[in-house]
Structure formats: structure tokens, C-alpha cells
């Protein structure tokens, strides 16, 4: 059993504190993704779990054993680095078998383990090459192979796909997910890419400025963002956010536009309260080009500033109360700039946030 | 012939522009080289210029081959090379690893480290000759005052002590070349493989042995190549400290050659020795260069 527990983890460099008391429980065999913009402390947190970074405060436990002061080699973890970090002077075979060799395992066992890893990752044909003779994707696979030969308690991934091109990234993402299904192990994965986080994670941990902002399954954080930061960080295009004031069951925006308070928030807001109204482009649709079964809707007339056809749908850019917003046209037709369209907003998927703190008003 | 003429006509400008360089190389390098090679087959003595035309065939080379003094100088030079290069490498490596760990004042340390290289070898020789002198030398005086030695130690007279004293001076002067080049290697070294190795279960020693050292080998071989040429032509320090003596006990190849050429005035014989010595230098250069290439190929991506 290898659950990972973080208790009030703090990291500081001198007077500068970069991680402020994080609590996190990662279950056995769970795939957890730490996601956030650069500088949010996600990599630092991962490196503390790995033992490459000293823990300034709090407690890290792997499989129930506190590992704060243990060196990396005593933690039974493997790590895949952003720059692959392969040993340049060793062949693929030697790279894969290095940790076992260091552990003093017999050659027969090392060979069996490396062959097994090579088979899983399709590296059999490259075993005698050096990293310099491999492409980016192949190097990435070697790095992963090196991590799996040891059968560690925990896999740590530090932005493993960020050096690959878009196509290869998608492909490797699928492979990592398959790998997790094949080699059931606890995985902690760090990325700044919300698509990677959504597609890979059992549970997403969203971080910002050294704090955990929200933890939940991909669908939870997508459908119930805890605040405006999560709302704009998760999902693409980012959620539309418009500031307004609650007035008689409606939220009034600058100008004379208004939208009803979404059903989930009725009774949770007071008259005159300043709020931020949030809805995703997916839920703002021109009438006649909407999805069906979307529940309660509100009507809103919008002047289209720009249309971006994507084939299956068209992204529409418009403006509400001086804020640029985006909508989506399903089964699209050609739309001219300046055209005025009557649109539907699916209220079940709309959100209200506190205008000051940005926190969701759902609870 | 016509083809050559046409080539000259088509490339007149490049050839004209290259000709000064070619001419200078011919005059400065090739001509003296050919001349010295010729004299090694003659009985040329500086005090009798007409002996330049006294062709003796391979006699000089055969004499040199059968010359015990020459071969002991040759052996001593190889030993000197081995001792000096290895100790300089180990000390330089240690120094570089330590300086690499310094976080504050590293630049100053690096500059201080280079001080020994800033002095003329002759002055270094004089300094150590004074330090190791058996009557007025600092080392002997210190040892005697501290009661560690009852009588003066003949540092520059005893065969092995003199050899060690010269090697000490040479190592003192040049360890920083290794240190600087290895430090450059350490600066260029990517951090990731080291971290990967630590996660893979390496202790600090194993990280050094399996990751750091292989990465540094090309830098070490570059330093080895440079220094092997340097040490193989060692002359100044030896000449100043012991003059190759006493009784030829610290004679290295080039002190022997210089003595043969200028003191004994037997230029032809000296040139024959010089050609043997150059073979030694070429061998060391070739050897380390091959090692360097192998190490670099090993590193692949770098």
C-alpha cells in the first residue's frame, strides 16, 4: 500500500515562502494531478515528495512512513523529469537497468525487468542506442521505462510532456493513461496544462501561489469551480465572467443588460449584493443552434463581433456589459461580424461568484 | 600541366591572397623543420660550422638508441609525466568539486586558484629551489625548528627527493589548469541526470562515480592532452632547481637535449634525440585525443 500524505507542508527559500502549508491525501493507486500556473509551487511540492527538495515544515508520509529526512533513494519512488534526464553515456538498456544495477540485483533479473519495461513501452528496437540517437518521444518513453522497471511505490511525473510537440503530446498522454491501467501504482503528476490534468487525473489538485485552491475529480472542478481562478483556469475557452449586482431575482450588469440568478444560487444571494456572473462558452448558444435537454434557459440578444469556425462548431465572440464573452454555435451556419443573434444561456451551468473574493456562492 | 595552369588562372585571386600565409609557414615552420631533420643525419657541431656537411647517415640515431643516459632521461620523463598528470588530475578534480560547492565568493576563489599559473615557471623554479634548499631553505628550517628533523634533508640532492621536489613545483604550478577545465565541465553539466540518479537509488559516491565522472572525462582528457605536451617539454623548472643534476639524476629529455646541443655543442646528436622526444609527445597527444573522442562519443547528445 502506498498512499501519500502531506500534512501542512511548507517550503521556504530563506525569507521567501513558496508553499504555504499544504494538506493532501493521495490514495493507493490513485492518479493525482497537481496543476496550476508556473510559480504556483506544484513542482516544488513534487520535488519535496521525491526528496530532491528539503521540507521546511510539515510532514510527508509515503505508505504510512514519514520520509521527511530520508534521501530520495530510501523512498522507493521513481520520477520522470521534464527534460527526460536520461544518462547520456549509457545505452537505453543501461538506462533502464541502472537503478536495479545500483541496487545490486543479479544480471538475469535486471535483463528480465528491462525487457519487460521495453516491451510495455515499445522500446525493444532501440535498446542499444544512446539517448543522443533517440527522438523526443522515444527519450520520453525511456524515461518512463526507467521509472517502471523498479516497481516503485509511487511514480512522480514532473511536466513530462511539455517538451514534446502537440501531436506527440496527445499520443504520450494516452500512453501514460494506459500505463497507469497496466501498472497500477500511485501517481503524482505535475503539469501546467489543464487538458492534461483533465484527461489523466482521477483527482485534480489545483494550486495557486503556494496554496491548494480546489481538489476534486475532473468533472467536479469543471462543473463546480470553487472560485473564479479555477473557473478560468480549467476548461477552454476560459469561463466568461461578468460583474453585476443582484436585483430582484436578476443580476443587473452595466448598461441595461441582465440575467436571471441561476437556479442553484437562488436564496443564496441578497438583494444588492455585488457578484460575478460566470458561464462557459459551451452553454451560451444562438437559438436554433443549441444543444437539446439543457434545462432552464435565459434569452439574451448579442451582437457578434467575430466568428471562429472550427468545423463542428463555431466560437462566437461578443460583448456583454463591456466585457468580451464567448459563445458556441452548434451545427453552425456562416455568421457575419455585426450580426445580431438571439441566444440561449443554459442556467443550470451558470455560476455566481463573490465580486470581492472571487469565491463561489454555491455553498 | 595545362590543367594546373588553368586552375591557377581560375583561382588567381584566392591563391594570391593565400600566398603570404603559405610563405610564412614555409619559412617559419617547414624550413627549420627540414633543416633540423637534415642535421640529425649530420655530425653538425655548433663550434665547427663546416661539420654541417658531414653526413653520417643514421649514426646519431643509433648512438642515441644505445645511450644509457638518454634512456634514463626518457624513462624519467615518462615517470614524471605519469606522476605529475595523475596527481594534478586528482588534485584538480578535488579542487573543482569543492569550488563548485561554494555558493559565496566563488568568483574570488576561482581567481585565487589561478594565481600559480600567473608566474613564470623560471620564477616558480627559483622559489621552490629556495624553499627546498638544505641550508637556508624554509622547509628545512621549519622542520628543524619544529624538531621533526635532526639534520637538513637534502631535498635537491637525493635522487628521489629531488625528483619529488621538482614534481611538487610542477604540480603546484599547474593543478589549476585541471581545476579550471574540470570546473568548466561541472558548470556545463545538466542537473537532471544527477537528480534522476539520486531518485534511482544512488548514494552521493555512486552519483559521482556513475554520472558526474563520465560527464567530466572529456574535460579531463582535454586537460591531459594540454598538460602532457606541457610536461613532456619540461625544461625551465628542472634547469633552475637542479640543472638536471646532481650527476644527471634529475635529467629529463629536454634538459639532456639542451645540454647536448648547447653545452656539448653537438647539434646533430641533439636533434636526433629531439625527434625521439617528439615521438613521445605525439604518442601522448594521440592517446589522450583518442580517449577524448571515445568519451565524447559516449556522451552522445553532448
Amino acid at each position: 500500500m502506498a498512499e501519500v500524505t502531506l500534512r501542512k507542508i511548507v517550503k521556504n527559500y530563506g525569507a521567501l515562502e513558496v508553499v504555504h502549508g499544504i494538506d493532501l491525501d493521495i490514495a493507493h493507486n490513485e492518479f493525482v494531478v497537481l496543476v496550476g500556473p508556473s510559480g504556483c509551487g506544484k513542482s516544488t511540492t513534487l520535488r519535496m515528495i521525491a526528496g530532491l527538495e528539503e521540507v521546511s515544515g510539515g510532514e510527508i508520509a509515503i505508505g504510512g512512513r514519514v520520509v521527511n529526512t530520508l534521501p530520495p533513494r530510501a523512498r522507493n519512488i521513481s520520477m520522470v523529469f521534464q527534460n527526460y534526464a536520461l544518462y547520456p553515456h549509457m545505452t537505453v538498456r543501461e538506462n533502464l537497468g541502472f537503478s536495479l544495477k545500483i541496487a545490486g540485483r543479479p544480471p538475469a533479473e535486471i535483463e528480465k525487468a528491462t525487457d519487460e519495461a521495453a516491451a510495455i513501452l515499445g522500446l525493444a528496437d532501440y535498446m542499444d542506442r544512446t539517448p543522443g540517437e533517440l527522438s523526443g518521444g522515444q527519450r520520453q518513453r525511456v524515461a518512463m521505462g526507467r521509472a517502471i522497471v523498479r516497481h516503485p511505490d509511487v511514480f512522480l511525473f514532473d511536466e513530462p510532456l511539455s517538451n514534446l510537440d502537440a501531436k506527440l503530446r496527445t499520443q504520450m498522454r494516452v500512453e501514460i493513461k494506459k500505463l497507469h491501467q497496466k501498472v497500477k501504482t500511485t501517481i503524482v503528476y505535475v503539469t501546467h496544462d489543464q487538458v492534461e490534468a483533465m484527461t489523466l487525473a482521477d483527482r485534480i489538485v489545483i494550486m495557486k501561489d503556494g496554496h491548494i485552491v480546489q481538489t476534486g475529480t475532473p468533472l467536479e472542478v469543471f462543473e463546480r469551480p470553487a472560485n473564479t481562478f479555477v473557473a478560468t483556469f480549467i476548461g477552454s475557452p476560459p469561463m466568461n465572467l461578468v460583474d453585476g449586482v443582484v436585483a430582484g431575482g436578476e443580476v443587473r450588469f452595466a448598461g441595461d443588460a441582465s440575467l436571471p440568478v441561476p437556479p442553484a444560487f437562488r436564496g443564496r444571494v441578497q438583494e444588492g449584493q455585488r457578484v460575478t456572473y460566470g458561464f462557459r462558452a459551451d452553454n451560451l448558444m444562438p437559438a436554433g443552434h443549441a444543444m437539446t435537454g439543457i434545462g432552464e434557459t435565459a434569452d439574451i440578444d448579442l451582437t457578434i463581433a467575430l466568428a471562429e469556425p472550427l468545423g463542428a462548431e463555431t466560437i462566437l465572440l461578443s460583448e456583454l456589459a463591456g466585457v468580451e464573452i464567448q459563445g458556441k454555435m452548434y451545427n453552425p451556419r456562416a455568421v457575419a461580424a455585426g450580426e445580431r443573434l438571439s441566444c440561449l444561456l443554459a442556467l443550470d451551468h451558470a455560476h455566481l461568484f463573490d465580486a470581492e473574493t472571487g469565491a463561489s456562492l454555491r455553498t | 600541366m595545362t590543367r594546373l595552369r588553368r586552375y591557377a588562372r581560375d583561382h588567381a585571386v584566392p591563391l594570391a591572397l593565400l600566398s603570404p600565409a603559405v610563405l610564412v609557414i614555409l619559412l617559419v615552420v617547414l624550413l627549420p623543420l627540414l633543416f633540423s631533420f637534415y642535421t640529425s643525419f649530420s655530425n653538425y657541431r655548433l663550434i665547427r660550422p663546416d661539420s654541417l656537411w658531414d653526413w653520417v647517415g643514421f649514426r646519431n640515431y643509433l648512438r642515441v638508441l644505445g645511450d644509457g643516459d638518454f634512456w634514463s632521461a626518457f624513462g624519467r620523463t615518462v615517470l614524471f609525466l605519469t606522476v605529475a598528470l595523475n596527481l594534478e588530475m586528482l588534485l584538480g578534480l578535488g579542487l573543482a568539486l569543492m569550488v563548485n560547492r561554494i555558493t559565496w565568493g566563488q568568483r574570488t576563489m576561482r581567481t585565487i586558484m589561478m594565481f600559480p599559473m600567473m608566474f613564470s615557471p623560471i620564477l616558480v623554479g627559483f622559489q621552490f629551489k629556495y624553499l627546498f634548499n638544505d641550508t637556508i631553505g624554509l622547509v628545512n628550517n621549519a622542520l628543524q625548528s619544529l624538531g621533526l628533523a635532526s639534520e637538513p634533508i637534502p631535498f635537491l640532492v637525493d635522487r628521489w627527493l629531488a625528483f619529488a621536489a621538482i614534481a611538487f613545483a610542477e604540480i603546484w604550478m599547474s593543478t589549476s589548469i585541471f581545476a579550471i577545465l574540470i570546473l568548466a565541465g561541472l558548470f556545463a553539466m545538466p542537473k537532471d541526470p544527477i537528480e534522476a540518479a539520486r531518485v534511482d537509488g544512488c548514494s552521493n559516491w555512486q552519483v559521482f562515480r556513475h554520472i558526474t565522472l563520465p560527464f567530466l572525462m572529456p574535460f579531463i582528457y582535454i586537460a591531459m592532452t594540454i598538460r602532457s605536451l606541457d610536461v613532456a617539454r619540461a625544461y625551465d623548472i628542472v634547469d633552475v632547481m637542479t640543472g638536471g643534476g646532481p650527476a644527471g639524476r634529475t635529467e629529463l629529455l629536454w634538459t639532456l637535449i639542451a645540454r647536448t646541443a648547447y653545452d656539448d655543442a653537438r647539434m646533430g646528436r641533439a636533434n636526433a634525440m629531439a625527434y625521439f622526444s617528439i615521438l613521445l609527445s605525439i604518442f601522448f597527444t594521440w592517446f589522450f585525443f583518442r580517449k577524448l573522442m571515445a568519451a565524447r562519443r559516449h556522451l552522445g547528445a553532448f
Side-chain angles (χ1 to χ4, degrees), chain A residues 47 50-53 71-73 77-79 81-90 95 98-103 130-132 139 146-147 150, chain B residues 189-215 295-302:
Chain A
R47 292 167 59 83
L52 294 171
E53 226 38 95
R73 64 195 159 97
I77 42 152
S78 312
M79 186 154 170
F81 293 81
Q82 181 173 0
N83 302 314
Y84 321 127
L86 300 178
Y87 310 125
H89 54 293
M90 299 184 197
N95 261 286
F98 183 69
S99 61
L100 299 177
K101 190 178 133 197
I102 289 297
T130 58
R139 286 183 205 182
R146 196 172 60 179
R150 301 172 54 208
Chain B
M189 180 158 188
K191 255 184 154 167
D192 285 1
I194 292 178
E195 295 191 331
R198 289 179 60 200
V199 173
D200 264 352
C202 286
S203 62
N204 288 339
W205 163 250
Q206 284 167 324
V207 170
F208 175 75
R209 165 74 190 75
H210 293 288
I211 311 297
T212 313
L213 198 57
F215 185 85
R296 283 183 48 147
R297 204 173 27 250
H298 237 60
L299 284 180
F302 297 96

Side-chain angles (χ1 to χ4, degrees), chain A residues 213-226:
Chain A
V213 183
Q214 189 175 6
T215 310
T217 65
L219 286 184
E220 272 167 16
V221 296
F222 184 80
E223 283 173 359
R224 293 164 169 254

Side-chain angles (χ1 to χ4, degrees), chain B residues 23-289:
Chain B
L23 214 65
V24 166
I25 288 173
L26 281 179
L27 284 175
V28 177
V29 179
L30 196 64
L31 220 59
L33 202 69
L34 287 174
F35 179 71
S36 74
F37 194 60
Y38 165 76
T39 59
S40 71
F41 291 98
S42 76
N43 194 22
Y44 184 38
R45 285 162 169 264
L46 285 178
I47 46 168
R48 289 198 298 128
D50 55 317
S51 62
L52 182 58
W53 311 113
D54 185 3
W55 177 268
V56 295
F58 281 96
R59 201 177 72 193
N60 282 328
Y61 285 93
L62 292 173
R63 286 259 173 87
V64 168
L65 280 175
D67 183 354
D69 284 348
F70 173 78
W71 286 112
S72 41
F74 191 93
R76 214 172 279 123
T77 306
V78 172
L79 182 68
F80 188 59
L81 262 166
T82 315
V83 170
L85 286 189
N86 279 302
L87 285 179
E88 282 175 23
M89 192 269 277
L90 289 177
L91 292 172
L93 183 63
L95 210 56
L97 288 172
M98 283 194 285
V99 171
N100 192 39
R101 294 295 289 267
I102 300 178
T103 47
W104 188 86
Q106 198 191 56
R107 284 162 159 276
T108 318
M109 269 312 288
R110 261 155 39 202
T111 314
I112 292 174
M113 214 164 68
M114 311 249 312
F115 279 175
M117 287 167 64
M118 296 174 190
F119 303 114
S120 152
I122 298 223
L123 296 181
V124 173
F126 275 124
Q127 196 56 41
F128 279 96
K129 184 182 190 178
Y130 158 69
L131 284 174
F132 287 126
N133 187 289
D134 42 5
T135 48
I136 56 156
L138 194 74
V139 178
N140 261 317
N141 277 335
L143 286 176
Q144 279 171 292
S145 310
L146 292 170
L148 295 170
S150 52
E151 51 192 46
I153 298 168
F155 279 118
L156 297 174
V157 180
D158 177 84
R159 176 191 303 264
W160 292 112
L161 283 178
F163 183 84
I166 294 169
F168 188 91
E170 183 73 40
I171 291 166
W172 179 85
M173 190 174 64
S174 302
T175 290
S176 47
I177 294 185
F178 273 90
I180 290 294
L181 281 167
I182 292 172
L183 198 59
L186 284 170
F187 286 160
M189 180 158 188
K191 255 184 154 167
D192 285 1
I194 292 178
E195 295 191 331
R198 289 179 60 200
V199 173
D200 264 352
C202 286
S203 62
N204 288 339
W205 163 250
Q206 284 167 324
V207 170
F208 175 75
R209 165 74 190 75
H210 293 288
I211 311 297
T212 313
L213 198 57
F215 185 85
L216 291 179
M217 278 330 272
F219 295 88
I220 290 175
Y221 285 132
I222 289 171
M224 285 272 188
T225 314
I226 296 172
R227 286 295 296 152
S228 69
L229 287 173
D230 239 10
V231 177
R233 63 167 198 223
Y235 172 79
D236 21 28
I237 286 192
V238 186
D239 197 55
V240 167
M241 285 178 76
T242 65
R249 282 176 207 157
T250 54
E251 197 86 276
L252 296 185
L253 274 176
W254 286 99
T255 57
L256 178 66
I257 291 166
R259 194 179 325 288
T260 312
Y262 304 117
D263 293 359
D264 305 350
R266 286 193 300 209
M267 194 49 101
R269 175 98 170 257
N271 273 333
M273 289 177 177
Y275 275 98
F276 272 116
S277 314
I278 281 173
L279 285 182
L280 181 70
S281 293
I282 290 176
F283 168 76
F284 270 101
T285 312
W286 170 82
F287 175 75
F288 287 125
F289 211 70

Side-chain angles (χ1 to χ4, degrees), chain A residues 33 56 73 87 102 120 135 154 165 169 201 207 213 227 234-235 242 264 267 271 283 287 304 308 313 341:
Chain A
V33 175
S56 310
R73 64 195 159 97
Y87 310 125
I102 289 297
I120 291 177
S135 70
V154 184
D165 62 53
R169 198 178 306 164
M207 291 183 68
V213 183
N227 57 29
I234 299 290
V242 188
E271 189 74 9
N283 301 313
I304 305 305
E308 295 180 316
E313 60 213 27
L341 289 176

Side-chain angles (χ1 to χ4, degrees), chain A residues 5 9 13 69 75 79 91 102 114 120 124 135 156 171 200 218 241 263 310 319 326 351 356 362:
Chain A
T5 319
I9 290 302
Y13 297 102
T69 54
R75 298 189 182 196
M79 186 154 170
T91 62
I102 289 297
T114 50
I120 291 177
S135 70
L156 305 174
Q171 200 181 323
L200 288 172
L241 295 173
L310 297 175
E319 186 215 11
Q326 299 185 345
H351 309 263
E356 299 291 323
R362 194 180 292 271

